[in-house]
Amino acid sequence: MIVVLTNKVFLWIVGVILLLAFFNSVLASSHSDGLERVAEDLGFIDYAKDSFSIFSDYQLPIGDGLVATGLAGLLGVGLTYMTLTLLAKGIINKKVVKQDEN
Amino acid sequence: MHIPDGFLDLKTCIGTYLGTAGALKFSLDKLKNNFAEEKIPLLGLLGAFIFAAQMINLPIAAGTSGHLLGGVLAMLVVGPWAATIVITAILVIQAIFFMDGGITVLGANIFNMAVVQVFAGYGLYIALQRITKSAKVSVFLAAFLATVISAAVAALELAISGTIALDLVLPTMIGWHLLVGLIEGTITVLIVSYLERVIPNRLELLNYRVGDCGAH
């Protein structure tokens, strides 16, 4: 397997991802996003219903404040990395890729 | 930009789920046969980065904020088919684990952000490459316009659902997302420029461009 990223670049990128994920509550503005703002201005925000979800809005039931949101962020990036890697390993057709490269 | 449950009616939820399922089937088939195995870690890392970046809401104006959608960024790094799968994975995890975007409207959210934003960005980028000389301008405008188009599609879904009249919601959604699009364009240009410097031969569509520009 060819190394995709050099070690130094890889560590930089992973570091930035982990910092963004852990400090999301500190870095993020709590103002409504574009769609919420439109729904508030035009008066249909009350249509919104809470749906089923394993955790609440980016907050794990562990610790408080920064720790709860920080761990939620780390869990999110970890789940995303694993889901995509496993999915891709499961479906990508190695033979076809090799033939294409000829 | 994540639509919560309750904003769309049943027919729009079902319609967008069906449209999304078709697009995903198509993207998965393309990914299966056209994606190089050695780039799998890049796929995971890109997804992790966009997930983290989406949590960072940047203030835009008058108590409003916007965050990166990331579809055009993903499209430039791994190509449109893989980008659709990357953004879909993020949206599914956000909805199931973190209550960001509803479950009944998940089809619509995937349609708007993983299909419309990615493929509008793809078409725009290819077209802009022929019009402008600057790669940065192409990347910025593709990300900016694809975000506005994605917001316009969300406005259409709200109007079709009978939630709000189209003549009210379309200009308002487009108005705010012109500002969100500026964030999208700026972040996409910055990250793509960085990646072009550190991993130039790993970028799907930028390769295509480098090949093109090499001719003159």
Side-chain angles (χ1 to χ4, degrees):
Chain A
M1 190 185 213
I2 302 162
V3 178
V4 170
L5 305 168
T6 63
N7 279 340
K8 203 177 143 204
V9 169
F10 179 81
L11 289 176
W12 261 106
I13 293 176
V14 170
V16 168
I17 292 172
L18 296 179
L19 283 174
L20 286 178
F22 188 80
F23 290 103
N24 70 80
S25 60
V26 179
L27 296 168
S29 156
S30 55
H31 293 316
S32 333
D33 76 4
L35 174 63
E36 281 164 7
R37 177 58 190 259
V38 170
E40 285 162 11
D41 287 354
L42 301 181
F44 64 91
I45 190 76
D46 292 336
Y47 286 34
K49 290 188 214 128
D50 277 353
S51 42
F52 161 80
S53 155
I54 295 171
F55 304 111
S56 60
D57 211 358
Y58 298 104
Q59 190 122 8
L60 296 195
I62 308 163
D64 53 359
L66 184 64
V67 174
T69 55
L71 292 178
L74 295 180
L75 177 69
V77 298
L79 277 170
T80 307
Y81 182 86
M82 274 175 41
T83 303
L84 285 167
T85 310
L86 293 176
L87 176 77
K89 279 192 175 150
I91 64 162
I92 283 169
N93 192 338
K94 290 160 201 166
K95 275 184 196 149
V96 174
V97 170
K98 277 190 185 131
Q99 279 165 3
D100 281 354
E101 280 170 359
N102 286 339
Chain B
M1 186 82 176
H2 294 62
I3 300 173
D5 278 333
F7 275 18
L8 301 183
D9 69 354
L10 188 64
K11 69 170 186 308
T12 313
C13 290
I14 293 173
T16 47
Y17 256 111
L18 291 176
T20 293
L24 288 181
K25 164 93 177 62
F26 203 62
S27 288
L28 280 171
D29 285 347
K30 286 275 186 181
L31 187 68
K32 202 169 169 176
N33 295 322
N34 297 299
F35 199 78
E37 199 193 353
E38 68 263 22
K39 282 203 288 198
I40 292 174
L42 186 61
L43 211 60
L45 213 54
L46 179 72
F49 175 77
I50 294 174
F51 188 100
Q54 283 204 356
M55 286 191 297
I56 311 303
N57 278 58
L58 300 167
I60 41 177
T64 309
S65 69
H67 64 73
L68 184 79
L69 301 184
V72 176
L73 171 64
M75 182 275 291
L76 292 165
V77 177
V78 292
W81 315 107
T84 291
I85 304 302
V86 168
I87 307 295
T88 298
I90 293 169
L91 293 169
V92 170
I93 290 167
Q94 285 171 335
I96 293 178
F97 286 88
F98 302 109
M99 218 196 283
D100 194 5
I103 303 281
T104 60
V105 294
L106 185 56
N109 279 325
I110 295 174
F111 187 75
N112 302 344
M113 291 184 265
V115 181
V116 172
Q117 207 225 2
V118 168
F119 282 93
Y122 179 61
L124 284 163
Y125 180 74
I126 301 287
L128 285 162
Q129 278 297 96
R130 296 188 182 150
I131 302 167
T132 71
K133 287 223 164 63
S134 159
K136 284 197 172 72
V137 171
S138 298
V139 169
F140 179 85
L141 286 177
F144 170 75
L145 293 170
T147 302
V148 177
I149 291 169
S150 172
V153 172
L156 282 177
E157 290 159 358
L158 288 163
I160 291 167
S161 295
T163 303
I164 181 81
L166 186 65
D167 60 345
L168 287 175
V169 73
L170 190 62
T172 319
M173 272 299 270
I174 289 177
W176 284 115
H177 287 85
L178 289 171
L179 298 173
V180 177
L182 294 179
I183 293 180
E184 186 85 10
T186 307
I187 296 179
T188 305
V189 167
L190 290 176
I191 293 169
V192 163
S193 306
Y194 171 74
L195 292 178
E196 201 174 19
R197 223 173 53 235
V198 295
I199 50 165
N201 51 351
R202 297 287 168 196
L203 303 179
E204 194 77 15
L205 275 186
L206 290 172
N207 273 350
Y208 165 87
R209 196 205 72 223
V210 169
D212 256 13
C213 293
H216 58 77

